[in-house]
């Protein structure tokens, strides 16, 4: 009994540095930001900063724009990454080898450099535009537009998401797929009934990562996005840095955090369900 | 009885140089045939080729007189029970069993009824809602077997299905499989490296070695009349003695055994099962030897006799007969039944 209590105390002592660090750099700033966001203009505490997010036309546009870019980017990233992961896991050949060797390259290029590279490539007077011009093809507006942000999000998120999904697919034994084929399942049935269910947890993790990374992104939307509407990250910087409205910026940060929490909730709920099913 | 599965001139070569060649085999409808051999002999290659998971380099595979060589696994009228069960871990037992029937667009009521029936057949009634993780190895293999049985395949393929189970369970599963086979009348091709399993289960055994078929015969014929030295070495316990061919007989020291196969000689190998080795101390005929070791193995004993230049020979004796012997005792060895092979 005493030995068990000693072990419990020792465990608490061992975990406390990590817990304290988490408390100081994550939990306290969140609480502090939330408290700041409740400060009203007349010095009191209310929800007026949150009300402003939904009553101001420009702010509403920013929220809708952010959600639109985030949803489109997340869907495209997952679609492309899943397709690449499937291709690399279940096919062979020179093309597969080439993709395997190169798909991680974007991870090693700093974000600012990659973003300027995209401006040089896809801008109105960029390389692609100049190459297509002799053919009489005019490139649609990609830079300083939501399309530019989506393209940058693909560049930034596809490698890591593909890596996650590839490792999940590698964990599915070939024999399990063989047994599905053996009972007569075609490619689509094998994917829908066996491969996807066995990799959906990682899919959910990937979705959470991409969603959070895109919704909170700053560099690409700042350099590639339009002046209006703006992604919440860019708008937050303006409200905080240019308009000097710390309380409003705090409300925007908490709102963004809540948006991410929604996805986090679904992820945790799914994990809890799986855990309950295993018990 | 009609031929359900026919393999004609099948060959498959891997990059490592291993593979199979010149595989010719006819399996009758309702027959349980076993591919038996050591690891790497090619038995799984043959099985996976029948199932469509490997494409042979040459030859043809016919099921119910139709070539299936160009068909992918999902289009073949076969079903395989895998060594590692291969149940889908995210599905319940019911879903595991229903998947194949749903693909065949069977009505829900029929699926439910069939699953209840097949679970009774494999002695797992009421296990529908369980997940594979809640089942023991033997139960998982029963579900895997049920999954294949439900599809009523023209040929059921079993790839060492009991090798992951403990000895007692393996024995039980063998009996159950044999019972299921007699109830369903399914044609089965069973792969194993366990000769006891092959001898106890099969209607016929295909003994394979280095990618080739050594012998196809009923278990008792494989045991009693091995056609090659390899089969004689591989199946059961066997003593081998070198002999000299002298027309109608093969001479092993002072003992002459019939040259039934008309071997040309000059040298031959005489093979004798331990149960066919007689030991006698009161006669003058036979090979002289001295008892070297007596091992009592329950209701019988294994007696090793030193035959000098002919080596050591093992004999199975009754417990009482073994008790009458003593270490170092001089005995005469004779054979009740022998088989002979050319010396390689």
């Amino acid at each position: 009994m005493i030995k068990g209590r000693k072990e419990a105390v020792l465990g608490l002592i061992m975990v406390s540095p990590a817990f304290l660090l988490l408390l100081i750099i994550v939990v306290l700033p969140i609480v502090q930001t939330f408290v700041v966001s409740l400060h009203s203009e007349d010095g009191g505490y209310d929800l007026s900063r949150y009300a402003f997010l939904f009553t101001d036309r420009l702010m509403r546009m920013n929220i809708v724009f952010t959600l639109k870019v985030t949803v489109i980017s997340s869907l495209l990233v997952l679609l492309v990454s899943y397709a690449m992961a499937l291709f690399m896991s279940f096919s062979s050949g020179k093309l597969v080898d080439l993709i395997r060797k190169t798909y991680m390259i974007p991870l090693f290029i700093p974000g600012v450099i990659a973003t300027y590279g995209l401006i040089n490539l896809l801008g109105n007077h960029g390389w692609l535009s100049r190459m297509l011009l002799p053919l009489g093809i005019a490139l649609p507006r990609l830079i300083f537009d939501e399309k530019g942000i989506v393209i940058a999000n693909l560049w930034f998120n596809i490698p890591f998401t593909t890596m996650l999904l590839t490792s999940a697919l590698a964990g599915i034994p070939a024999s399990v797929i063989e047994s599905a084929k053996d009972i007569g399942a075609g490619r689509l049935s094998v994917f829908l009934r066996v491969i996807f269910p066995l990799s959906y947890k990682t899919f959910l993790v990937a979705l959470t990562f991409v969603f959070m990374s895109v919704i909170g992104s700053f560099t690409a939307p700042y350099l590639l996005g339009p002046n209006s509407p703006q992604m919440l990250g860019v708008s937050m910087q303006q409200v905080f840095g240019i308009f000097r409205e710390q309380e409003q910026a705090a409300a925007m940060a908490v709102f963004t955090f809540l948006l991410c929490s929604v996805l986090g909730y679904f992820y945790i709920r799914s994990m809890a369900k799986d855990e309950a099913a295993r018990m | 009885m009609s031929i359900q599965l026919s393999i004609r001139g099948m060959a498959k070569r891997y990059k490592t140089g291993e593979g199979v060649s010149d595989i010719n085999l006819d399996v009758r409808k309702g027959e349980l045939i076993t591919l038996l051999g050591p690891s790497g002999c090619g038995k799984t290659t043959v099985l996976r080729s029948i199932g469509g998971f490997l494409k042979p380099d040459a030859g043809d595979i016919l099921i119910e007189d139709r070539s299936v060589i160009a068909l992918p696994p999902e289009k073949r009228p076969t079903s395989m029970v895998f060594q590692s069960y291969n149940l889908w871990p995210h599905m319940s037992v019911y879903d595991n069993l229903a998947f194949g029937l749903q693909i065949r667009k069977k009505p829900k009521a029929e699926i439910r009824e069939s699953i209840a029936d097949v679970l009774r057949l494999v002695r797992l009634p009421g296990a529908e809602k369980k997940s594979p993780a809640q089942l023991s190895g033997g139960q998982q293999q029963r579900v895997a077997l049920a999954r294949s049985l439900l599809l009523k395949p023209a040929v059921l393929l079993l790839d060492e299905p009991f090798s992951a189970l403990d000895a007692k369970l393996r024995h039980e599963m063998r009996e159950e499989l044999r019972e299921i086979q007699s109830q369903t009348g399914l044609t089965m091709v069973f792969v194993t490296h366990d000769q006891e399993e092959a001898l106890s289960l099969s209607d016929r055994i295909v003994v394979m070695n280095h990618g080739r078929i050594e012998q196809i015969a009923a278990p008792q014929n494989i045991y009693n009349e091995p056609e090659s030295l390899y089969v004689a070495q591989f199946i059961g316990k066997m003593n081998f003695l070198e002999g000299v061919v002298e027309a109608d007989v093969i001479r092993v020291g002072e003992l002459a055994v019939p040259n039934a196969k008309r071997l040309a000689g000059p040298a031959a190998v005489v093979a004798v099962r331990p149960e066919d080795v007689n030991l006698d101390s009161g006669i003058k005929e036979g090979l002289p030897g001295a008892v070297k070791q007596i091992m009592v193995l329950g209701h019988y004993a294994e007696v090793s006799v030193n035959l000098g230049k002919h080596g050591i020979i093992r004999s199975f004796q009754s417990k009482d007969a073994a008790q009458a012997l003593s270490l170092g005792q001089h005995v005469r060895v004779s054979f009740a039944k022998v088989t002979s092979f050319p010396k390689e």
Side-chain angles (χ1 to χ4, degrees):
Chain A
M1 196 66 178
I2 292 168
K3 193 186 170 196
R5 207 174 295 162
K6 267 186 184 173
E7 277 179 1
V9 172
L10 188 70
L12 275 176
I13 291 169
M14 286 174 77
V15 84
S16 55
F19 180 72
L20 271 175
L21 195 70
L22 197 75
L23 196 73
I24 293 164
I25 67 168
V26 180
V27 181
L28 281 181
I30 291 174
V31 174
Q32 195 187 16
T33 307
F34 180 63
V35 173
V36 170
S37 73
L38 296 176
H39 285 189
S40 62
E41 279 186 10
D42 52 16
Y45 289 93
D46 61 16
L47 294 171
S48 57
R49 305 291 180 182
Y50 292 96
F52 181 77
L53 292 180
F54 303 103
T55 50
D56 181 67
R57 195 180 70 88
L58 219 58
M59 208 48 95
R60 270 205 319 267
M61 278 170 67
N62 287 347
I63 292 171
V64 171
F65 180 74
T66 304
L67 285 174
K68 189 179 163 192
V69 168
T70 305
V71 169
I72 292 172
S73 298
S74 301
L75 289 178
L76 285 177
V77 167
L78 285 167
L79 195 72
V80 174
S81 295
Y82 213 114
M84 277 172 66
L86 283 171
F87 187 55
M88 285 194 284
S89 302
F90 301 112
S91 303
S92 55
K94 284 183 179 174
L95 184 60
V96 173
D97 289 343
L98 185 72
I99 294 173
R100 271 200 197 115
K101 283 173 189 161
T102 55
Y103 83 94
M104 297 284 277
I105 287 174
L107 278 184
F108 301 103
I109 298 173
V112 179
I113 295 171
T115 309
Y116 278 115
L118 286 173
I119 292 172
N120 280 330
L121 177 70
L122 305 172
N124 275 354
H125 304 289
W127 304 341
L128 193 62
S129 187
R130 273 178 278 162
M131 278 193 286
L132 292 175
L133 201 60
L135 304 172
I137 301 169
L139 203 63
R141 185 186 173 91
L142 296 174
I143 301 301
F144 311 124
D145 185 89
E146 66 184 30
K147 289 191 276 298
I149 308 176
V150 171
I151 291 170
N153 285 332
L154 293 178
W155 170 271
F156 290 130
N157 289 287
I158 282 174
F160 186 65
T161 312
T162 306
M163 192 176 73
L164 270 181
L165 292 169
T166 306
S167 63
L169 294 179
I172 301 174
S175 53
V176 166
I177 294 164
E178 272 186 356
S179 61
K181 285 182 182 171
D182 183 65
I183 58 120
R187 282 182 180 192
L188 189 64
S189 292
V190 171
F191 175 73
L192 293 177
R193 298 287 300 269
V194 179
I195 296 174
F196 187 72
L198 286 176
S199 58
Y200 96 102
K201 262 192 233 168
T202 310
F203 182 85
L204 217 56
V205 173
L207 174 66
T208 312
F209 279 161
V210 177
F211 188 89
M212 289 186 185
S213 153
V214 174
I215 207 166
S217 62
F218 176 76
T219 311
Y222 184 70
L223 295 173
L224 291 173
N227 284 331
S228 180
Q230 292 174 322
M231 291 280 286
L232 279 175
V234 179
S235 174
M236 217 183 300
Q237 189 272 338
Q238 275 196 347
V239 171
F240 182 82
I242 298 169
F243 305 142
R244 301 282 176 189
E245 288 182 20
Q246 194 190 351
E247 297 79 10
Q248 191 56 55
M252 290 170 75
V254 172
F255 177 70
T256 311
F257 174 71
L258 287 176
L259 284 179
C260 291
S261 303
V262 172
L263 210 71
Y265 165 75
F266 282 116
Y267 170 70
I268 291 167
R269 197 180 72 159
S270 158
M271 293 298 132
K273 257 188 189 174
D274 277 1
E275 200 61 42
R278 267 203 299 272
M279 298 295 275
Chain B
M1 209 174 273
S2 64
I3 300 298
Q4 185 79 345
L5 166 70
S6 185
I7 304 175
R8 293 177 187 167
M10 196 197 103
K12 171 78 186 171
R13 185 74 34 206
Y14 296 108
K15 282 178 186 167
T16 55
E18 289 180 333
V20 297
S21 60
D22 197 26
I23 302 295
N24 290 287
L25 174 67
D26 284 334
V27 182
R28 293 185 283 266
K29 194 174 171 62
E31 190 177 26
L32 198 162
I33 201 159
T34 298
L35 306 181
L36 174 69
S39 297
C41 73
K43 54 192 188 298
T44 298
T45 299
V46 174
L47 195 80
R48 289 176 66 79
S49 299
I50 300 169
F53 298 106
L54 280 176
K55 191 168 167 46
D57 301 329
D60 202 357
I61 296 171
L62 293 96
I63 295 175
E64 291 173 328
D65 292 327
R66 279 191 318 127
S67 173
V68 295
I69 202 81
L71 298 178
E74 61 267 28
K75 303 271 184 207
R76 294 199 182 191
T78 57
S79 187
M80 191 181 282
V81 178
F82 295 86
Q83 189 175 358
S84 49
Y85 325 136
N86 289 0
L87 298 179
W88 302 295
H90 58 292
M91 294 186 197
S92 65
V93 167
Y94 182 89
D95 290 336
N96 263 281
L97 298 176
F99 190 11
L101 297 175
Q102 285 161 350
I103 286 166
R104 285 159 183 78
K105 301 204 184 322
K106 300 280 181 195
K108 271 186 184 173
E110 190 186 324
I111 292 176
R112 233 184 348 260
E113 206 173 304
S114 305
I115 289 174
D117 287 346
V118 82
L119 283 175
R120 269 195 294 277
L121 185 68
V122 298
R123 298 189 195 174
L124 279 175
E128 286 93 336
K129 286 183 182 165
K130 289 188 175 172
S131 80
Q134 291 172 306
L135 303 175
S136 67
Q139 288 172 327
Q140 285 190 49
Q141 197 55 289
R142 282 192 179 99
V143 175
L145 180 62
R147 182 172 66 184
S148 290
L149 291 173
L150 267 177
L151 305 177
K152 299 187 174 68
V155 181
L156 179 63
L157 310 169
L158 301 110
D159 187 10
E160 306 205 34
F162 309 142
S163 62
L165 307 178
D166 62 59
K168 187 170 174 282
L169 199 55
R170 206 158 55 225
H171 193 77
E172 279 175 26
M173 289 294 289
R174 266 182 227 156
E175 286 175 4
E176 282 180 27
L177 181 72
R178 197 69 234 201
E179 202 177 310
I180 287 167
Q181 203 256 348
S182 67
Q183 280 182 41
T184 58
L186 273 175
T187 307
M188 297 186 184
V189 180
F190 191 99
V191 157
T192 184
H193 61 265
D194 181 343
Q195 50 174 288
E196 190 190 318
E197 196 161 78
L199 290 166
S200 64
L201 261 180
S202 322
D203 292 318
R204 282 190 301 157
I205 296 173
V206 180
V207 182
M208 292 188 68
N209 181 32
H210 292 307
R212 288 177 176 274
I213 292 175
E214 289 273 346
Q215 186 174 357
I216 306 173
Q220 65 273 20
N221 293 346
I222 291 271
Y223 187 82
N224 293 327
E225 292 149 31
E227 283 175 6
S228 68
L229 193 57
Y230 172 80
V231 177
Q233 282 169 336
F234 189 70
I235 302 285
K237 285 189 175 177
M238 186 75 97
N239 295 293
F240 297 97
L241 300 154
E242 279 193 29
V244 179
V245 178
E246 289 179 2
D248 291 343
V249 296
I250 301 169
R251 192 164 288 282
V252 182
E254 297 165 33
L255 201 68
V257 298
N259 183 7
K261 289 182 183 171
R262 300 273 164 207
L263 299 176
V269 175
V270 173
V272 197
R273 296 276 179 208
E275 60 268 33
D276 294 326
V277 176
N278 299 323
L279 305 179
D280 207 320
S281 52
I283 57 167
K284 289 193 174 170
E285 292 83 32
L287 285 170
V291 175
K292 187 172 180 284
Q293 194 177 51
I294 302 169
M295 276 196 295
V296 179
L297 304 165
H299 65 284
Y300 74 104
E302 186 180 305
V303 180
S304 300
V305 177
N306 189 346
L307 296 177
K309 66 175 181 177
H310 298 294
I312 309 283
I313 195 164
R314 285 191 300 267
S315 167
F316 292 157
Q317 298 289 316
S318 70
K319 208 165 62 180
D320 293 341
Q323 271 171 356
L325 296 168
S326 57
L327 292 179
Q329 183 181 344
H330 289 275
V331 288
R332 290 280 175 170
V333 175
S334 60
F335 308 133
K337 184 173 174 286
V338 298
T339 184
S340 53
F341 303 98
K343 189 162 184 263
E344 287 170 355

